Amino acid sequence: MALPLEGIRVVDWTIWQQGPVASLMLGDFGAEVIKIESREGDPGRGILRAQGLDLTDRPNFYFEANNRNKKSLAVDLKKPEGVEIVRRIADRADVFVQNFRKGVAARLGLDAATLRARNPRLIYASATGYGPEGPESGAPSFDYLGLARSGIMYACGEPDDPPMAIAGGIADQMGAVMLAYAVMIALFARERTGAGQEVDASHLGSMAWLQGLGLSARLMLGRALPRQPRRSAVNPLWNHYRCGDGQWIALSMLQPDRYWAQFCSTLEIPEAATDPRFATMLDRMMNCTACIALLDEVFGRRPRAEWLRRLAEGGDFIFSIVNSVDDLPDDRRRSRTATSRPSTIPPSAPRG
């Protein structure tokens, strides 16, 4: 069965993560992705070695995770002949992706106006920090600034915690998802109109979208969703608890009155079901600290595997284990999000 983007050619003139992951997603669904690198290669090829990590017996996970399914071509863009090579490839391409600071592409003659004058069907996609317009449109940005500027550092953790970073290049990854989405819509529009267009996805805009519910609360109610302290969550059945072996379990029952009596029976605390402090959702909300303290004590009595068995057998409860990223590859219920194809042409640029 053919993949949906087979026959689509993407020129990927990007570095680091935000831009490369956008083109990677297109490659995952069948597009031919030609990565344009400098003679020295994408700096992501050397990032682990620059941090003192030995790569002699393992792959460069950073580069490989961001650049699978791609062909690679090293070009000296300081020379007119090198620029012309890229222009000619773009003449026969469907998509051109770049994530350099505003003005860089224009100085080299690889901007949207130049390339689309030669190929009007071309979709020109830019990954940026703050979008194509406004006083900060040319400002540099990396993932960490996307986390900081978007407010998400204040959306995780406990209320009194300082701003908290999130590992893994989340702002880069989200920016890439939104840019790939924009490219897909532009390809669809081109099927109707025959014309390409310019699309842009920024760190700030993408991370704002990721927090759509909290941002909507701020815009419509006048305040964002606050950080929720675990020990006083208003719904004790929408919370996570440490089990007797130190492993955590998460509950996600949004209509808790449907579950409370059977839940108490399963946890062998039937008296809690009729305790006037906990009898209804409103009662538990008003006495959430005491209710959570009780559940903390109960879950601490047995290891997580035992609680998983009891909850599975005890009723139609909604719950899950709490994984670390280290745990995730071994979670047998994890879903496969995309099809990956090995590149048939080895990269020509030097590996980091």
Side-chain angles (χ1 to χ4, degrees), residues 13-88:
W13 181 41
T14 67
I15 57 176
W16 299 117
Q17 184 173 350
Q18 184 186 11
V21 171
S23 59
L24 171 150
M25 293 178 68
L26 303 175
D28 278 350
F29 288 100
E32 177 193 27
V33 182
I34 301 172
K35 184 175 177 68
I36 304 299
E37 301 189 54
S38 68
R39 295 290 295 274
E40 296 76 24
D42 184 325
R45 292 185 180 273
I47 189 171
L48 299 185
R49 188 167 54 199
Q51 295 176 351
L53 299 178
D54 182 11
L55 296 177
T56 57
D57 62 347
R58 68 191 73 180
N60 179 340
F61 82 91
Y62 180 88
F63 184 82
E64 298 298 336
N66 298 337
N67 292 284
R68 64 176 179 264
N69 296 337
K70 299 178 183 179
K71 303 171 182 178
S72 187
L73 179 67
V75 178
D76 188 350
L77 294 178
K78 297 177 182 178
K79 296 181 179 179
E81 297 88 344
V83 173
E84 185 58 25
I85 288 172
V86 177
R87 286 175 179 163
R88 289 180 180 177

Side-chain angles (χ1 to χ4, degrees), residues 326-340:
D326 278 334
D327 297 328
L328 191 57
D330 298 320
D331 188 330
R332 65 177 183 272
R333 291 185 178 87
R334 71 189 187 279
S335 62
R336 190 178 184 186
T337 57
T339 301
S340 176

Side-chain angles (χ1 to χ4, degrees), residues 55-325:
L55 296 177
T56 57
D57 62 347
R58 68 191 73 180
N60 179 340
F61 82 91
Y62 180 88
F63 184 82
E64 298 298 336
N66 298 337
N67 292 284
R68 64 176 179 264
N69 296 337
K70 299 178 183 179
K71 303 171 182 178
S72 187
L73 179 67
V75 178
D76 188 350
L77 294 178
K78 297 177 182 178
K79 296 181 179 179
E81 297 88 344
V83 173
E84 185 58 25
I85 288 172
V86 177
R87 286 175 179 163
R88 289 180 180 177
I89 296 173
D91 288 344
R92 299 186 298 275
D94 300 281
V95 181
F96 189 95
V97 185
Q98 67 91 20
N99 67 338
F100 292 89
R101 290 179 65 172
K102 187 175 183 178
V104 172
R107 287 198 299 272
L108 291 173
L110 296 175
D111 54 305
T114 300
L115 297 185
R116 296 195 63 249
R118 297 165 60 118
N119 178 5
R121 288 175 55 82
L122 183 69
I123 293 157
Y124 192 97
S126 298
T128 64
Y130 307 106
E133 300 175 354
E136 294 180 274
S137 59
S141 178
F142 279 95
D143 171 79
Y144 201 78
L145 300 188
L147 300 177
R149 189 68 173 268
S150 67
I152 201 168
M153 285 186 169
Y154 281 107
C156 56
E158 295 281 322
D160 294 331
D161 286 339
M164 301 184 70
I166 304 172
I170 298 301
D172 274 346
Q173 205 79 1
M174 190 64 198
V177 170
M178 296 303 289
L179 188 61
Y181 179 76
V183 169
M184 296 283 283
I185 296 299
L187 286 169
F188 182 73
R190 193 182 69 175
E191 288 299 306
R192 292 181 166 182
T193 67
Q197 58 183 289
E198 294 180 57
V199 297
D200 177 284
S202 68
H203 278 144
L204 182 56
S206 300
M207 292 300 289
W209 174 253
L210 181 63
Q211 301 174 90
L213 190 59
L215 185 56
S216 294
R218 169 62 180 84
L219 293 173
M220 287 185 256
L221 303 179
R223 58 174 299 189
L225 298 175
R227 284 168 157 175
Q228 185 68 56
R230 193 197 72 82
R231 294 186 182 277
S232 56
V234 294
N235 177 5
L237 296 192
W238 187 279
N239 209 357
H240 50 287
Y241 297 90
R242 188 194 297 269
C243 301
D245 56 357
Q247 300 294 312
W248 291 80
I249 193 167
L251 310 177
S252 186
M253 286 168 264
L254 196 57
Q255 298 171 295
D257 283 348
R258 293 177 52 188
Y259 305 98
W260 181 245
Q262 188 64 33
F263 182 75
C264 291
S265 175
T266 301
L267 266 61
E268 297 181 343
I269 50 171
E271 67 281 1
T274 56
D275 187 320
R277 298 175 300 166
F278 311 141
T280 70
M281 180 172 63
L282 182 59
D283 295 326
R284 290 188 296 276
M285 182 179 70
M286 298 302 294
N287 297 282
C288 57
T289 301
C291 187
I292 291 170
L294 172 63
L295 296 182
D296 276 339
E297 191 274 325
V298 172
F299 276 108
R301 296 174 186 173
R302 293 185 172 89
R304 184 170 69 181
E306 176 67 12
W307 286 123
L308 293 174
R309 183 186 66 79
R310 286 174 177 258
L311 289 171
E313 296 173 355
D316 187 26
F317 304 123
I318 305 173
F319 63 95
S320 176
I321 60 176
V322 177
N323 275 333
S324 69
V325 177

